[in-house]
Amino acid sequence: MSAPKKLFIKTYGCQMNVYDSERMAEAMGGAGYTETHDVSDADMILLNTCHIREKAAEKVYSELGRFRDLKDARPDLKIGVAGCVAQAEGEEIMRRQPLVDLVVGPQSYHRLPEMAARLALGEKALDTDFPEEDKFEQLKARPKAKRGPTAFLTVQEGCDKFCAFCVVPYTRGAEVSRPAGRILDEARGLVERGVREITLLGQNVNAYHGAGPQGGDWSLARLIWALSEVDGLERIRFTTSHPNDMSDDLIEAHGSCAKLMPYLHLPVQSGSDRILKRMNRKHTAQSYLKVIERIRAARPDILLSGDFIVGFPEETDADFQDTLRLIEAVGYGTAYSFKYSTRPGTPAANRAQVDAGVADERLRRLQALLTEQQHAVQQSMVGRDVSVLFEKPGRMLGQMVGKSEYLHAVHVVAPDIQPGDIARVRITESGTNSLAGVLVTV
Ligand code: SAH
Ligand code: SF4
Ligand code: F3S
């Protein structure tokens, strides 16, 4: 028997890509590949890419250029591009970078083993179809190997919302929800392998409406309640949500489902109704604030996170002030903010662009405000007891790192704690991006 081939995967972009990379590694496992973390050792390199902003897409080409020497030294080395750049620019990648042997889109990666077999015959392979078959069903091999205590699980994919700036509806396709029974099955498999926290993923995860095991559609809340019955699964999270899909039952679950963690990522993008309209977001600043008010009524201690874009075409200073006001009104625990990036093929691409210097300055001011809020929230945790799911050793001797229910990273000196343990911790200190604490002994 020949020695197993080695696969090196590098993942960019969102959590869904992280999940997809795991699935691709498993699919290739069935075709005789084992994963390596050393690129110089690889027989195949796969970049799982992101197309959301221009910089993300350009990174792929510069990374590919760096593989030239490796490929010169070992002509048998195969180089593949997966993910959203593959979907958006498939054939162009092959033209621009002849080093590339394989291009596979996010909806066809279950066909990777078959494509790899073609490469072995000296061919190139490109597949950016949106196939009829369910890729998740094709990939349902259930690995048994132990794994870390936290996992992602894709439950919904694609987007029908078409925000004017965004490539996701084109790279991931239409919104599709997986059947609830399969998700529950996958979750049980993860728990058997040591997982204690699952983050349900979807580009619009709260729009989830999968077939229930006994027929009928299940909402995300119903799925969360069913998952909360899985023994050994202690924590449930979900991301990313759209404000218009925060249904009553989901808000209610935040108040009553003990395993659903008090953290919600709810992107708003802008606080200006004029800009929100031009973004095709289909909500207003007021309707977003109303949703937040209802969530906080159900779960007062919930930590909120968001996404913001500054410098969207035609954004004026007054629009930007509205965004700052919305941030003041919400009080975020953490947030992600971006300078608008023109994406070819999206409706906003042809509109009057904001001066880059102006957008940079707005981003700086917005991030200063968000950082201030983040630190205030972190500081407010000092003296409080939180529950921490420990994930791995820290950098200091005897130190362990985990996440609180609010998703803060927490460092604790606790030599007896193992990854996967959940313990009460009293927060003693707030650092730049994490907290420190001591175990609460009872
Ligand atoms: N489905 C999610 C997020 C998708 S992309 C949602 O609807 O919120 C993640 C974030 O990237 C977006 O929330 C947005 O803030 C940012 N983003 C998307 N397209 C962008 C663009 N063209 N330029 C800058 N930021 C962008
Ligand atoms: Fe993109 Fe908007 Fe869909 Fe989110 S809701 S993925 S921002 S189009
Ligand atoms: Fe990027 Fe595709 Fe995710 S564009 S953010 S990897 S859905």
Side-chain angles (χ1 to χ4, degrees), residues 185-362:
D185 196 40
E186 193 169 323
R188 287 188 204 100
L190 287 167
V191 169
E192 280 164 21
R193 296 168 64 198
V195 169
R196 304 197 76 189
E197 172 180 305
I198 291 181
T199 303
L200 306 175
L201 299 181
Q203 266 97 22
N204 274 292
V205 72
N206 55 344
Y208 175 85
H209 55 99
Q214 267 89 47
D217 265 9
W218 277 24
S219 65
L220 184 67
R222 181 127 187 232
L223 180 65
I224 288 169
W225 280 110
L227 282 164
S228 75
E229 306 273 305
V230 174
D231 275 346
L233 180 61
E234 304 298 339
R235 291 174 155 199
I236 303 167
R237 304 180 185 277
F238 60 90
T239 198
T240 297
S241 300
H242 191 284
N244 290 358
D245 295 315
M246 279 315 289
S247 54
D248 294 346
D249 60 347
L250 190 56
I251 293 176
E252 203 270 325
H254 268 295
S256 51
C257 180
K259 290 187 181 178
L260 183 58
M261 292 293 104
Y263 176 99
L264 179 67
H265 183 63
L266 199 60
V268 60
Q269 316 299 354
S270 168
S272 153
D273 287 343
R274 204 179 71 88
I275 293 297
L276 287 170
K277 201 168 173 62
R278 283 171 165 68
M279 286 177 163
N280 192 32
R281 286 288 296 182
K282 301 196 176 81
H283 60 76
T284 61
Q286 205 49 48
S287 67
Y288 177 80
L289 291 171
K290 184 83 204 147
V291 171
I292 300 258
E293 193 183 300
R294 291 175 54 218
I295 295 161
R296 280 197 166 130
R299 181 76 202 225
D301 64 338
I302 199 157
L303 189 143
L304 290 163
S305 156
D307 286 349
F308 297 90
I309 295 178
V310 300
F312 185 76
E314 300 164 38
E315 184 188 69
T316 62
D317 251 332
D319 294 318
F320 177 63
Q321 292 299 335
D322 286 345
T323 303
L324 294 180
R325 260 193 294 277
L326 178 133
I327 294 172
E328 299 272 12
V330 173
Y332 289 93
T334 178
Y336 304 86
S337 47
F338 313 96
K339 191 166 93 165
Y340 170 71
S341 171
T342 308
R343 307 311 290 127
T346 59
N350 303 322
R351 299 185 196 160
Q353 307 291 308
V354 169
D355 175 80
V358 170
D360 283 332
E361 175 58 17
R362 287 181 190 158

Side-chain angles (χ1 to χ4, degrees), residues 111-176:
R111 297 176 176 167
L112 253 182
E114 188 192 306
M115 295 171 78
R118 297 216 319 265
L119 297 190
L121 303 173
E123 294 173 27
K124 294 207 174 202
L126 181 141
D127 192 340
T128 50
D129 286 353
F130 288 97
E132 285 293 311
E133 74 264 17
D134 176 353
K135 73 175 173 199
F136 298 104
E137 259 307 90
Q138 312 282 321
L139 291 168
K140 74 178 174 192
R142 256 216 203 168
K144 291 273 175 277
K146 266 272 186 232
R147 48 166 300 155
T150 64
F152 294 130
L153 202 176
T154 294
V155 302
Q156 178 277 344
E157 194 169 358
C159 180
D160 297 337
K161 295 218 162 36
F162 292 93
C163 298
F165 48 82
C166 183
V167 294
V168 170
Y170 312 98
T171 61
R172 292 279 170 168
E175 209 173 287
V176 178

